[in-house]
Amino acid sequence: MRSTALALAAVGLLLAGCGGGSAPASSEPPNGEASKTGAQVFKDAEKAVRRASSVHVSQTSHGTTDAEIVPGKGGTASYTEGGGARFQVVDTGDAYYILGNNAYWNSRAESKLRGRWLKCPPGSYMSRVGAPGFILYAAFGGEYGGTLRNAGETTYNGQRVVEIRGTDSEDVGAGEIKLYVAATGTPYPLAFVTKYGTLAFSDFNAPVRLTAPRDALSDQSLCETVSYEPH
């Protein structure tokens, strides 16, 4: 459960439209990534996104996801799945909150959680469902071995980028994975592209408030045992 394909398919990430954000403009000077090895560009991109104060991550594949991640602290996310299931999460760092619609919760939890946020402690079973921080872990945690290669400079959505290609040995079925990294300014990752879809990064360092929902239900037994219907 570490591959980019997992971030795209199993996590089911999202976004309806990605913002322009603070992605590097083409007027900024080249950052030297075009002349580096694929593995080094990959590392630089991971380091850059983890050092950002926040990042917007989106995908439209196997459902949708719209996430605002504060690396190392938490984040917020909204997900849609098959069958009309939807849920939202807020991770404040010291507590994890999840709100699902009736199509999301299974019958065991539905009566208690209909229209209410569930508050869970870090490390509980439910705190791992749709966790915003897992998105970065999954995206950059693949086993690429020596397959990463620098395919040269190109453009992506009008921006100068370095294209990195590779194959994740943990999910060879995903085929070739492409990572587009800004070729100017800070080497932020702009998108992972696989046959599953596109995982897009934008709005680096934008203000993000992690506010705990009011009147959340705190029930340890639900946090450890509740599951949702698979879709």
Side-chain angles (χ1 to χ4, degrees):
M1 301 225 345
R2 298 172 52 203
S3 68
T4 303
L6 175 63
L8 289 164
V11 175
L13 298 176
L14 131 191
L15 173 69
C18 51
S22 57
S26 59
S27 61
E28 294 188 89
N31 54 23
E33 296 298 320
S35 62
K36 297 182 180 180
T37 65
Q40 186 59 58
V41 177
F42 189 93
K43 290 180 181 178
D44 290 348
E46 179 180 14
K47 184 183 298 182
V49 72
R50 292 191 182 281
R51 286 181 174 177
S53 61
S54 68
V55 58
H56 180 214
V57 181
S58 65
Q59 180 194 308
T60 52
S61 174
H62 298 275
T64 63
T65 303
D66 191 357
E68 302 288 349
I69 303 172
V70 180
K73 294 183 179 180
T76 65
S78 298
Y79 300 86
T80 63
E81 301 179 338
R86 299 187 305 274
F87 69 104
Q88 300 170 256
V89 298
V90 176
D91 183 359
T92 63
D94 55 2
Y96 190 84
Y97 302 83
I98 182 167
L99 172 68
N101 67 355
N102 292 346
Y104 175 79
W105 294 116
N106 62 17
S107 57
R108 180 182 179 192
E110 186 177 324
S111 60
K112 286 188 175 183
L113 296 174
R114 184 180 291 115
R116 295 196 65 182
W117 286 89
L118 174 65
K119 177 182 179 181
C120 296
S124 61
Y125 170 78
M126 290 304 293
S127 73
R128 298 189 293 273
V129 176
F134 179 73
I135 296 171
L136 295 183
Y137 173 79
F140 288 94
E143 294 290 346
Y144 296 99
T147 69
L148 292 172
R149 65 187 186 282
N150 188 332
E153 188 171 327
T154 184
T155 59
Y156 182 81
N157 286 345
Q159 299 183 57
R160 294 174 58 188
V161 297
V162 177
E163 181 179 312
I164 303 303
R165 299 183 181 184
T167 303
D168 185 353
S169 63
E170 290 190 338
D171 191 351
V172 293
E176 186 173 62
I177 293 173
K178 297 179 181 179
L179 169 63
Y180 295 104
V181 179
T184 61
T186 303
Y188 289 123
L190 300 185
F192 272 103
V193 180
T194 78
K195 72 175 186 180
Y196 297 123
T198 298
L199 183 67
F201 301 82
S202 62
D203 295 334
F204 296 95
N205 304 310
V208 174
R209 295 185 62 182
L210 301 178
T211 304
R214 299 179 58 183
D215 302 321
L217 174 65
S218 183
D219 188 319
Q220 183 65 30
S221 64
L222 291 179
C223 292
E224 296 298 344
T225 62
V226 165
S227 62
Y228 55 90
E229 297 286 3
H231 298 285

